[in-house]
Amino acid sequence: MTPSSTPSAATAAGARPTHHTVGEPLLSVRDLKVHFPTDDGLVKSVDGLSYDLAQGGTIGIVGESGSGKSVSSQAIMGLHRGTRAQLSGEIIFDGKDLLTIGDEELRQLRGRDIAMVFQDPLSALHPYYTVGNQIMEAYRVHHDVSKKAARTRTVEMLDRVGIPNASARVDQYPHEFSGGMRQRAMIAMALINDPRLIIADEPTTALDVTVQAQILDLLRGLQTEFGSSIIIITHDLGVVAEMAEQILVMYGGRAVERGSVDDIFYAPEHPYAWGLLSSMPRMDRVREERLRPIAGNPPSLINPPAGCVFNPRCPYVDEARLGCVSKPPAFDESSPHPVRCHIPHETRREIFQTKVKPTL
Ligand SMILES: Nc1ncnc2c1ncn2[C@@H]1O[C@H](COP(=O)(O)OP(=O)(O)O)[C@@H](O)[C@H]1O
Ligand SMILES: [Mg+2]
């Protein structure tokens, strides 16, 4: 991909960079649940999420707003600690369960081994301190070095993420940076300790397409250089197509489908994944053809629908003879890649080929 190509166009062309996954998982999430007690009832934001991420690999977590993407990644960073949130399951990182390790050990890991890039750099960068000072501090928390050494390293990092004239800009304040430059600065801050895992939560959502493509290019380049693993969270399938080799499709706090980028783009199994694909903008389609958002609303996380959480919005709910509305589907083992759906695989394939694919 060239920097000028739009991320959303990647799938249309079918051309993607190849990624390689090697070795044991760095991260294993097992049956993760994050529930929030509220006055209205227990909000089950994440309700039984499992996935693995290989060393150096990239997984894309996609789903509509409110599907539990951010809450699940905040759990990895330990950001629900000390709140009323109820967590269960396991988050095994490098052999340790992040849900049960001590606060001090977690503090050591956070920012050093696991770093996060947010959608809005202004929420991560303090307005009263220079960009350089904040990045230097992020480094000095984990490294016993002089201010001078930290500053040198910070300038190098700012330069590395493509900030022009880094040795001068290091002394500027966040508001003196453009949105794209702030996002680069946040990436520099996330990478300064050479983390093993980067969680990028909608890292380009606030940026215009050109800058978005540049930031994704930057992340990819840095990943190759630093060998970090990445969790990229986005509602934009185009972004995952550019970045990830594995995709996890989330709906209502659960994973409903898991597969390679090719699986999800060319042989998607879940009717929700079909809906996401149909609602995706494409460069080769004329403007008049409206995007088709998925009809209906996201499920209540307090009283989720019985059976399959997607059933009230699923156009094919009758295909499984009522199982959809009565029992939650397990992952279908007969499917070529894991999918939680009651519709028999052969029927799904036929629906996709005859009804869905021609409209994509
Ligand atoms: N502290 C909280 N208390 C209650 N509900 C919450 C809390 N944090 C998040 N939620 C709810 O959890 C759901 C999932 O949120 P989130 O993970 O942020 O979704 P997204 O997939 O858009 O990142 C949303 O419905 C949100 O309102
Ligand atoms: Mg989010």
Side-chain angles (χ1 to χ4, degrees):
M1 288 290 128
T2 58
S4 61
S5 72
T6 57
S8 298
T11 52
R16 274 186 303 276
T18 50
H19 302 267
H20 300 283
T21 304
V22 279
E24 287 300 296
L26 175 67
L27 180 76
S28 288
V29 175
R30 286 290 170 274
D31 200 23
L32 176 66
K33 295 184 181 171
V34 184
H35 295 175
F36 299 101
T38 70
D39 291 345
D40 300 322
L42 192 62
V43 178
K44 293 174 229 130
S45 296
V46 179
D47 207 28
L49 183 67
S50 302
Y51 63 88
D52 286 334
L53 175 59
Q55 301 266 6
T58 301
I59 190 165
I61 302 184
V62 294
E64 291 172 308
S65 179
S67 54
K69 305 181 300 294
S70 294
V71 167
S72 65
S73 65
Q74 287 154 4
I76 299 172
M77 288 290 276
L79 298 178
H80 301 299
R81 286 196 181 199
T83 75
R84 295 171 70 202
Q86 302 164 357
L87 281 80
S88 65
E90 290 181 338
I91 300 177
I92 309 294
F93 174 80
D94 197 23
K96 301 185 192 88
D97 187 349
L98 300 183
L99 289 186
T100 57
I101 60 170
D103 286 347
E104 183 49 38
E105 200 174 356
L106 182 69
R107 246 195 309 278
Q108 287 295 321
L109 285 172
R110 199 194 276 164
R112 187 190 64 192
D113 296 302
I114 307 176
M116 203 152 174
V117 176
F118 302 92
Q119 173 178 346
D120 176 15
L122 287 180
S123 65
L125 294 170
H126 196 289
Y128 295 167
Y129 299 94
T130 64
V131 168
N133 256 318
Q134 299 181 61
I135 301 178
M136 281 177 239
E137 274 318 299
Y139 188 59
R140 273 158 56 87
V141 166
H142 297 290
H143 295 86
D144 187 17
V145 295
S146 68
K147 282 199 168 162
K148 189 161 179 287
R151 185 185 163 91
T152 305
R153 164 109 181 147
T154 298
V155 172
E156 274 168 19
M157 216 52 225
L158 288 175
D159 187 56
R160 181 62 197 84
V161 298
I163 292 184
N165 199 9
S167 57
R169 302 212 67 167
V170 67
D171 294 319
Q172 290 187 331
Y173 291 87
H175 72 265
E176 297 178 86
F177 279 49
S178 68
M181 286 298 154
R182 274 199 292 267
Q183 195 57 298
R184 286 173 191 270
M186 187 157 57
I187 291 170
M189 183 150 81
L191 284 166
I192 192 124
N193 294 311
D194 196 4
R196 305 179 66 188
L197 174 63
I198 300 165
I199 302 172
D201 190 349
E202 306 270 4
T204 60
T205 301
L207 306 171
D208 73 57
V209 260
T210 311
V211 181
Q212 189 172 336
Q214 289 166 358
I215 296 289
L216 293 180
D217 261 10
L218 172 68
L219 271 174
R220 259 203 317 269
L222 293 167
Q223 177 180 32
T224 311
E225 187 179 328
F226 290 76
S228 329
S229 304
I230 297 184
I231 298 173
I232 182 140
I233 295 170
T234 174
H235 63 276
D236 184 342
L237 275 169
V239 169
V240 279
E242 289 254 324
M243 290 293 298
E245 64 254 7
Q246 290 292 315
I247 298 182
L248 189 79
V249 182
M250 277 189 81
Y251 187 77
R254 284 155 237 216
V256 295
E257 184 164 357
R258 211 167 53 212
S260 69
V261 170
D262 281 352
D263 290 338
I264 304 298
F265 278 92
Y266 302 114
E269 291 275 338
H270 202 286
Y272 174 58
W274 300 342
L276 286 180
L277 286 167
S278 302
S279 65
M280 220 180 117
R282 274 184 34 180
M283 295 304 284
D284 60 346
R285 200 186 272 150
V286 284
R287 262 237 119 83
E288 290 78 72
E289 278 186 75
R290 290 273 152 246
L291 303 177
R292 290 174 299 272
I294 307 171
N297 295 310
S300 161
L301 299 173
I302 296 175
N303 291 306
C308 168
V309 269
F310 188 60
N311 88 69
R313 301 172 77 184
C314 183
Y316 310 104
V317 65
D318 293 336
E319 300 288 342
R321 312 272 182 275
L322 300 176
C324 307
V325 297
S326 56
K327 61 174 197 282
F331 274 109
D332 177 359
E333 299 297 334
S334 71
S335 168
H337 60 268
V339 56
R340 273 186 211 265
C341 178
H342 283 304
I343 303 171
H345 169 63
E346 292 309 324
T347 312
R348 276 195 312 258
R349 177 172 290 182
E350 189 176 321
I351 296 172
F352 178 69
Q353 291 296 342
T354 59
K355 296 188 182 148
V356 181
K357 202 173 167 192
T359 71
L360 291 180

